[in-house]
Amino acid sequence: MIDVLVVDDDYRVAEINAKYVGKVPGFRVAARAHSAAQALAAVERGSIDLVLLDHYLPDQTGLELVHRMREQGHGTDVIMITAASDVTTVQQAMRLGALHYLVKPFTFAALRTRLDSYAALRRTVDRVGGRGLTGQEQVDRIFGALRTAPAPSAPGLPTGHSEPTTDLICGVLHRADHPLSAHEVAARTGLSRSTAQRYLRHLEQAGRLRLSLKYGDTGRPEHRYAWVAP
């Protein structure tokens, strides 16, 4: 089993990411951390193979944490999972040895693709290293193990629905601390209310959202939607 440390300052997001990891064969969550200090302490205790690391932490950035880990001799593998998508942060992550960089919000399929390629890398290194081979073919095989195919499109999307828009809406509800109306989802995503309603209706029917009704003093009840954790 590959032991994973899930690091995110948002407790709910950390829990959802941990559940995602638990759905991938060969991986298990060894610990969760919500700050750089907690994460470093978990790494220092040992037995962590891979860190799924958010960049925005309350005490240090994720990249500052990776830098400290390397300075202290911890070679633990890192996959960045963060909303930070600027070129400078991505380049710094590469220079510090992050194996993958996944931008929030993301789908389970996208995370699984990265985890599967990481598992393939470990198998390849073990196989090649066991034979003591160092030729170009073996080196190419090791580097090639990290390549990922594009994440498959979500099955069953109705005509006129796109996966990026679906992911955008899921990300908003994923992060919300209370059920949201179609109007609130539209405001947070920049979509029209009618578009938000159409996607919310499909996601609720697909079992990815929970629908509740909020009754006011007059008029029809307001439909409100909440994320259903996998």
Side-chain angles (χ1 to χ4, degrees):
M1 296 293 287
I2 295 173
D3 287 321
V4 179
L5 169 63
V6 175
V7 184
D8 200 293
D9 67 321
D10 188 316
Y11 283 72
R12 294 173 298 108
V13 172
E15 184 63 25
I16 291 171
N17 290 349
K19 289 181 178 179
Y20 277 171
V21 171
K23 293 171 63 176
V24 182
F27 289 82
R28 66 185 172 196
V29 176
R32 298 169 182 78
H34 309 291
S35 68
Q38 291 176 358
L40 184 60
V43 170
E44 289 175 338
R45 288 194 294 269
S47 78
I48 299 297
D49 300 306
L50 175 66
V51 181
L52 299 185
L53 181 60
D54 187 19
H55 182 57
Y56 298 117
L57 300 173
D59 48 351
Q60 279 188 312
T61 68
L63 294 184
E64 288 171 340
L65 170 61
V66 177
H67 185 68
R68 285 184 63 192
M69 287 167 53
R70 301 304 182 236
E71 280 189 331
Q72 296 180 19
H74 300 297
T76 311
D77 294 321
V78 173
I79 293 178
M80 298 296 296
I81 297 183
T82 176
S85 57
D86 59 284
V87 173
T88 299
T89 302
V90 174
Q91 286 180 327
Q92 290 177 342
M94 294 173 62
R95 289 166 182 158
L96 287 170
L99 297 178
H100 281 300
Y101 197 108
L102 191 57
V103 178
K104 296 178 181 176
F106 56 89
T107 62
F108 167 66
L111 177 59
R112 177 164 187 168
T113 298
R114 273 69 178 180
L115 294 179
D116 284 344
S117 74
Y118 174 71
L121 171 66
R122 288 173 61 97
R123 290 193 299 269
T124 301
V125 170
D126 289 343
R127 184 166 58 250
V128 172
R131 295 201 298 267
L133 302 176
T134 57
Q136 186 64 52
E137 180 181 351
Q138 286 71 40
V139 172
D140 290 344
R141 191 174 301 161
I142 291 171
F143 276 86
L146 276 176
R147 295 178 188 147
T148 59
S153 297
L157 280 180
T159 302
H161 287 228
S162 72
E163 186 173 0
T165 302
T166 300
D167 289 345
L168 176 63
I169 290 174
C170 287
V172 165
L173 289 160
H174 183 165
R175 293 187 292 269
D177 57 6
H178 61 275
L180 301 179
S181 67
H183 176 76
E184 291 171 317
V185 171
R188 297 189 187 195
T189 59
L191 300 170
S192 69
R193 183 171 179 173
S194 61
T195 297
Q197 285 176 323
R198 189 170 72 252
Y199 277 82
L200 290 167
R201 191 177 305 114
H202 166 70
L203 290 167
E204 188 269 327
Q205 292 172 351
R208 298 176 68 180
L209 303 180
R210 183 177 64 254
L211 172 64
S212 60
L213 300 178
K214 181 180 180 182
Y215 291 89
D217 295 332
T218 61
R220 295 161 54 183
E222 183 181 52
H223 288 204
R224 303 184 70 83
Y225 299 86
W227 176 257
V228 177

